Amino acid sequence: LGPDEVRWFYKSDSDKRWIEFSGYDSLRIESKYRNVYHDWQYYNKYSNKENSSETYSEQYRIVVRGGMYEVDLNTCKCDSIYWPGEECAITRGIWFYDGSWIPVDTECSNILENVHLELFFGKKLSDYITEPCNKTPKAVLHTESFTEFHVDWYSPTEVYQYSEAAPSKLVRTFTQRLGFQKSTGYRLCRGYKVHATDYDRPVDITHLVFVIHGIGQKMDTGRIIRNTSAFRDCVTWLKQKYFASSENRVEFFPVEWRSSLKLDGDTVEAITPHKLLGLRQLLNSSAMDIMYYTSPLYGCEVQRGLLEELNRLYTMFTQRNPYFTSSGGKVSVIAHSLGCVIVYDIVTGWRSDLWQVNKCNSVELFNFCVFQIDNLFCLGSPLSVFLALRMRDPQAPGQVETILPPSLCKKFYNVFHPTDPVAYRMEPLLLRDYSKIAPLQIQAYNATVRIDYKDMPLEPIVPEITSSNDCSSSVSKHREGLEEMEADSPSNTPSKAWNIWGLMRWNKKPQDEAEGRGSPQFDALPAGHHQRLDYVLRETNLAGSYFSALTSHTAYWNNYDVAYFVLTRLFPDLE
């Protein structure tokens, strides 16, 4: 086979299936592989230098997957370049199962290839072609037996794998097109269905997204890497299905800030009682992160841990991609749970007075990375609760701009599951009247009719109905209230209302203030400024159950609705 007929694969971390490398990557891996194959005997025979194995290993490592990973042909592994802990197996595909094009196991594939070359090398394919009208059963040219199956060759292009187990009645069919009576097996194909080319390669990264975890990382080391990988797989699938022609490329970088922090030096573990030890250790490894962060002693250590990892990743990325910034590359952040609070505090420069008194063994102030956050996605975020507890009146004059300054990010999205017990809304913190307005519902990724979020009307929140008789009157009452607010909207020039984030603020007319009345009104918004902050996922059949409450906080990573929402916010031109 030529290098272009061979295809290399890596194993998905989420569902353990084989995923093909791009043609460009596969050709480069195959070229290196052939060099390794021919140089291997020479290397083992003549190389006895100290550290020669390390030199040899580096010589046959290939950067793949758009500069994000590296293949090691010695270990047959693919490792992440930017973050430790993510590793997957690779395989060289020569023989494949027809239809699915899943590569045959490496050991078996090598045996098949050797047998095939022994049978047909130097011979012509035309020697094995029979006339279509010839009904004579084809003879088996060769049979190769394995533990659980055997493989029969009828010609260079007709190779079948048969299970050694007795076939059931359901699968006991006959292969008439081959002219012989035998239980149907799997047809094996030599060479991949598509030839590899240098043109089949990913475009340069246009949008970099840092994914920041919340609590519990110490309890399950590497979870943020797996979650990011699962989310990346969702986005990749959606992009290939709906936006295959797009030249945009996004990459997601997991930011693991917890495992490097020592914090209390195991003091908490020492004072933990042994009764219900398993439950206590679970809490120490998860919920304790909240206490660490609110601690005047360890809070800024947590901030430093996240900041240093962000700076390390961004610096390493820009060194390997020197034209990213000049070519218009953008940076966004997806933060989950407590991670939303930490990244908010780092960017805005918030820290308590107690932190400044203790100085956390350091007098320097933190400096955020040099990039501007384009989009900040908060998933299952308790940020609004933390902010509410830091100020007595969040809606006092000037407070709104302090809470969400323009320097925080260009666009802010608070995404939550309706039963997530950790998540809170953001809009009512800034404008109290939004407690009566429902958050926007994130549309299904496969919706046939799609509405632009900025065109979605304000919908009143209808309280849960305990009696069916109260249902219609309750809905009617809330809708009438909303219509009344809309009807009172001034038709003249709008008054000066805060609209940095595009929220509608209800203002009082001057005569209302003089008379002590507070009829709420909508301010007209300038074009292009309307953007809501709160976005809720669709409810499932388990909504409201305790099981849903336990699982919803971590349900964002495999959710295709969330992935579609993020993808189309990163690249608005896709819709």
Side-chain angles (χ1 to χ4, degrees):
L1 292 176
D4 59 332
E5 297 175 279
V6 176
R7 184 56 66 103
W8 286 80
F9 292 75
Y10 63 94
K11 183 160 286 188
S12 168
D13 183 61
S14 58
D15 55 11
K16 305 303 180 184
R17 59 188 174 90
W18 288 113
I19 301 176
E20 65 185 65
F21 281 101
S22 67
Y24 174 77
D25 284 345
S26 187
L27 285 172
R28 291 166 58 245
I29 299 172
E30 179 64 15
S31 176
K32 285 288 187 180
Y33 173 83
R34 296 190 180 205
N35 290 336
V36 169
Y37 182 80
H38 290 104
D39 293 348
W40 186 258
Q41 288 183 335
Y42 177 88
Y43 172 80
N44 284 337
K45 185 175 181 180
Y46 298 106
S47 178
N48 56 6
K49 297 179 181 179
E50 186 177 359
N51 297 327
S52 59
S53 61
E54 288 80 1
T55 304
Y56 181 80
S57 177
E58 289 299 323
Q59 183 179 357
Y60 292 102
R61 294 179 71 93
I62 307 103
V63 176
V64 295
R65 298 172 64 180
M68 299 290 293
Y69 296 83
E70 200 169 42
V71 160
D72 187 342
L73 288 175
N74 284 334
T75 61
C76 285
K77 298 291 184 181
C78 182
D79 306 305
S80 167
I81 291 175
Y82 291 95
W83 52 89
E86 185 177 3
E87 179 183 89
C88 63
I90 63 172
T91 191
R92 181 174 183 251
I94 303 177
W95 288 86
F96 303 87
Y97 294 100
D98 188 23
S100 67
W101 292 98
I102 297 173
V104 175
D105 175 76
T106 301
E107 184 178 354
C108 176
S109 181
N110 290 335
I111 295 175
L112 294 178
E113 183 67 4
N114 290 334
V115 171
H116 190 87
L117 293 176
E118 289 177 3
L119 290 172
F120 306 112
F121 185 76
K123 298 181 181 179
K124 296 180 180 180
L125 181 61
S126 59
D127 296 339
Y128 301 92
I129 297 178
T130 59
E131 296 295 331
C133 59
N134 188 349
K135 300 299 182 180
T136 304
K138 290 188 178 181
V140 176
L141 301 178
H142 180 81
T143 297
E144 190 71 20
S145 297
F146 297 85
T147 304
E148 298 180 353
F149 59 88
H150 69 272
V151 176
D152 288 345
W153 275 261
Y154 300 92
S155 76
T157 58
E158 293 170 328
V159 184
Y160 282 79
Q161 173 184 313
Y162 299 98
S163 173
E164 295 293 353
S168 65
K169 291 182 179 180
L170 183 63
V171 299
R172 194 176 296 139
T173 60
F174 299 96
T175 312
Q176 296 178 353
R177 71 176 184 274
L178 293 179
F180 63 94
Q181 294 185 354
K182 190 170 183 178
S183 298
T184 303
Y186 293 103
R187 184 168 187 171
L188 303 181
C189 300
R190 183 172 180 261
Y192 197 48
K193 60 180 178 180
V194 178
H195 284 202
T197 67
D198 283 329
Y199 300 104
D200 176 25
R201 61 183 300 181
V203 298
D204 292 336
I205 298 172
T206 58
H207 211 125
L208 177 64
V209 180
F210 292 115
V211 184
I212 300 171
H213 67 79
I215 65 173
Q217 188 68 19
K218 185 178 179 181
M219 175 181 62
D220 187 6
T221 304
R223 183 169 62 181
I224 187 58
I225 296 176
R226 296 191 298 274
N227 288 341
T228 304
S229 179
F231 194 78
R232 184 188 299 117
D233 288 346
C234 290
V235 170
T236 300
W237 183 85
L238 290 168
K239 188 172 183 295
Q240 292 175 347
K241 182 174 178 64
Y242 297 105
F243 314 109
S245 61
S246 173
E247 291 298 317
N248 295 312
R249 178 183 167 198
V250 58
E251 281 295 348
F252 298 90
F253 278 37
V255 184
E256 205 289 272
W257 53 265
R258 180 63 178 88
S259 61
S260 62
L261 301 179
K262 301 301 181 182
L263 299 178
D264 62 24
D266 297 329
T267 300
V268 171
E269 182 178 348
I271 63 177
T272 301
H274 289 275
K275 197 70 173 179
L276 297 177
L277 185 60
L279 176 60
R280 295 178 187 274
Q281 289 177 335
L282 176 66
L283 294 174
N284 287 349
S285 299
S286 55
M288 186 61 66
D289 286 342
I290 300 176
M291 301 182 70
Y292 282 133
Y293 188 62
T294 55
S295 161
L297 186 61
Y298 300 115
C300 64
E301 292 293 336
V302 173
Q303 283 194 8
R304 183 182 288 109
L306 173 55
L307 183 61
E308 289 178 350
E309 182 63 5
L310 277 172
N311 284 333
R312 183 191 72 82
L313 290 171
Y314 185 72
T315 300
M316 187 176 180
F317 174 78
T318 51
Q319 288 174 347
R320 287 176 168 263
N321 300 269
Y323 302 107
F324 174 74
T325 304
S326 60
S327 61
K330 297 180 179 180
V331 180
S332 292
V333 169
I334 295 177
H336 180 240
S337 190
L338 181 64
C340 305
V341 182
I342 305 173
V343 73
Y344 170 90
D345 289 344
I346 291 176
V347 177
T348 60
W350 188 92
R351 59 187 62 81
S352 70
D353 293 337
L354 290 176
W355 286 6
Q356 295 184 31
V357 170
N358 286 279
K359 298 183 180 179
C360 292
N361 302 320
S362 178
V363 296
E364 78 273 12
L365 296 178
F366 298 141
N367 293 316
F368 190 64
C369 307
V370 294
F371 59 83
Q372 165 73 40
I373 298 179
D374 197 60
N375 302 278
L376 176 55
F377 300 93
C378 293
L379 308 182
S381 171
L383 175 60
S384 58
V385 171
F386 278 76
L387 296 177
L389 298 178
R390 292 175 181 176
M391 52 194 69
R392 294 188 180 278
D393 186 4
Q395 300 176 32
Q399 286 289 69
V400 173
E401 291 78 2
T402 301
I403 295 174
L404 287 182
S407 59
L408 174 63
C409 58
K410 293 182 180 179
K411 292 186 178 180
F412 182 96
Y413 302 96
N414 183 45
V415 179
F416 61 96
H417 192 282
T419 61
D420 187 343
V422 180
Y424 290 83
R425 291 192 61 185
M426 197 73 184
E427 292 169 346
L429 177 71
L430 306 176
L431 302 175
R432 184 62 56 83
D433 291 304
Y434 265 80
S435 62
K436 306 171 185 176
I437 302 299
L440 294 183
Q441 185 176 88
I442 292 182
Q443 300 173 79
Y445 76 91
N446 56 355
T448 54
V449 178
R450 194 169 295 279
I451 304 174
D452 195 317
Y453 286 99
K454 70 176 183 293
D455 296 330
M456 288 185 175
L458 297 178
E459 294 287 346
I461 293 179
V462 179
E464 293 186 2
I465 306 301
T466 57
S467 171
S468 58
N469 295 330
D470 298 333
C471 180
S472 58
S473 60
S474 178
V475 173
S476 175
K477 178 180 178 181
H478 281 79
R479 288 197 177 277
E480 288 175 0
L482 182 60
E483 291 170 358
E484 181 182 349
M485 291 186 287
E486 290 176 334
D488 288 338
S489 178
S491 58
N492 55 352
T493 302
S495 60
K496 293 182 180 180
W498 177 81
N499 56 20
I500 294 177
W501 296 98
L503 291 180
M504 295 181 177
R505 170 183 282 252
W506 290 279
N507 283 337
K508 298 177 181 178
K509 295 179 181 179
Q511 61 268 29
D512 290 336
E513 290 185 346
E515 299 173 8
R517 292 185 286 125
S519 177
Q521 307 162 25
F522 288 125
D523 275 335
L525 292 173
H529 276 261
H530 181 67
Q531 183 218 320
R532 294 284 301 274
L533 303 182
D534 291 337
Y535 298 82
V536 64
L537 297 180
R538 293 179 296 157
E539 293 192 26
T540 63
N541 293 333
L542 295 176
S545 68
Y546 288 107
F547 178 78
S548 177
L550 292 173
T551 59
S552 59
H553 187 57
T554 57
Y556 303 98
W557 309 112
N558 293 290
N559 191 298
Y560 283 91
D561 293 351
V562 177
Y564 189 96
F565 180 80
V566 169
L567 178 61
T568 51
R569 298 317 100 189
L570 296 176
F571 305 115
D573 58 322
L574 293 180
E575 288 193 313

